[in-house]
Amino acid sequence: MIFDVMTLFPELVDRITGESIIGRARASGAIEVRTHNIRDYSEDKHRRVDDTPYGGGMGMLMAAPPIYRCYENIRKNQKGSSLCVFMSAQGKVLDQKDAIELARYDNITILCGHYEGVDRRIVDEIVDREISIGDYVLTGGELPACVLIDVVSRMCKGVLSSEECFENESIYGGVLEYPQYTRPEEFMGRKVPDVLLSGDHKKIEQWRREAALELTAANRPDLL
Ligand SMILES: C[S@@+](CC[C@H](N)C(=O)[O-])C[C@H]1O[C@@H](n2cnc3c(N)ncnc32)[C@H](O)[C@@H]1O
């Protein structure tokens, strides 16, 4: 999987996706994250990429031409299937099913908006899907892009080790994950449930199933 990220803040995306599991996946070649500074495609002598909105209103909009030039350059270097995603508060809210589906592409190109957003015509011209990471508005698309890269990468071969496997995790299996405990056996008077120390794998499995359902009923009844 190759992610091409169009952004005004490439260092931000590089920094976040350069750490921990995703950073290791990049280093091993399981995924690739290429960042592209939209400013490099500005033809303005001050490298401007934004302008005031037609019809008036607050703030600035990212103009279409530099983004289009950046996108064309990216597309020239992509092979195989590809999808262009715009991180946008106006998009469909991302869920695990989307991540599984997106992980099937060879390339995902991600457009990060900033300021008041982007000229609508660039969305109509190049974007296949608008994706939001939640019903709130952030200052830019870079953090949402990193969220998308993280959640899709976890579904890609070679990113998680078998210990980190995603199949038992919350949401993936339709409900939340069961509560987990590690040493010490007692913390602030709270004991690890006896069944987990019993060594009886059948009972442990049953306890986990029930505990997962209880937690789901309490925190996310909509999943049941
Ligand atoms: C300040 S926001 C623009 C909001 C836009 N004026 C609106 O009302 O929808 C700047 C950029 O942040 C990104 N963004 C903000 N909230 C987001 C969210 N919930 N999910 C994904 N991207 C978001 C988008 O790329 C957006 O273009």
Side-chain angles (χ1 to χ4, degrees), residues 2-163:
I2 300 178
F3 297 95
D4 283 290
V5 186
M6 299 189 278
T7 167
L8 296 177
F9 298 93
E11 299 83 8
L12 185 53
V13 175
D14 267 328
R15 175 72 67 89
I16 294 172
T17 61
E19 297 285 337
S20 185
I21 295 171
I22 302 302
R24 285 203 299 275
R26 286 180 73 176
S28 73
I31 60 160
E32 209 177 313
V33 179
R34 307 190 286 216
T35 52
H36 307 266
N37 193 337
I38 297 166
R39 235 175 255 292
D40 293 342
Y41 297 86
S42 167
E43 289 182 341
D44 178 87
K45 68 175 179 209
H46 303 296
R47 306 208 327 139
R48 264 187 71 174
V49 289
D50 58 335
D51 215 328
T52 51
Y54 281 117
M58 300 276 284
M60 302 294 274
L61 274 186
M62 287 169 67
I67 299 172
Y68 189 71
R69 285 191 286 272
C70 180
Y71 178 72
E72 273 192 313
N73 191 49
I74 289 168
R75 289 290 289 133
K76 274 196 291 202
N77 297 310
Q78 288 179 338
K79 289 191 191 88
S81 57
S82 78
L83 189 80
C84 182
V85 174
F86 174 39
M87 302 317 303
S88 161
Q90 298 168 1
K92 177 195 176 284
V93 177
L94 179 66
D95 63 21
Q96 191 67 45
K97 282 199 195 100
D98 298 323
I100 295 167
E101 191 215 327
L102 263 56
R104 298 194 187 115
Y105 286 87
D106 298 310
N107 306 270
I108 297 180
T109 308
I110 306 175
L111 171 60
C112 304
H114 228 86
Y115 315 121
E116 276 309 307
V118 302
D119 185 317
R120 187 69 210 176
R121 290 168 297 178
I122 195 65
V123 180
D124 296 340
E125 185 64 29
I126 68 169
V127 170
D128 300 305
R129 214 173 287 189
E130 271 183 85
I131 295 181
S132 163
I133 62 159
D135 286 338
Y136 40 77
V137 177
L138 293 118
T139 53
E142 286 72 20
L143 292 178
C146 293
V147 169
L148 184 71
I149 291 169
D150 190 301
V151 73
V152 172
S153 296
R154 296 180 89 254
M155 298 295 115
C156 295
K157 219 170 137 233
V159 172
L160 297 184
S161 62
S162 54
E163 300 91 73

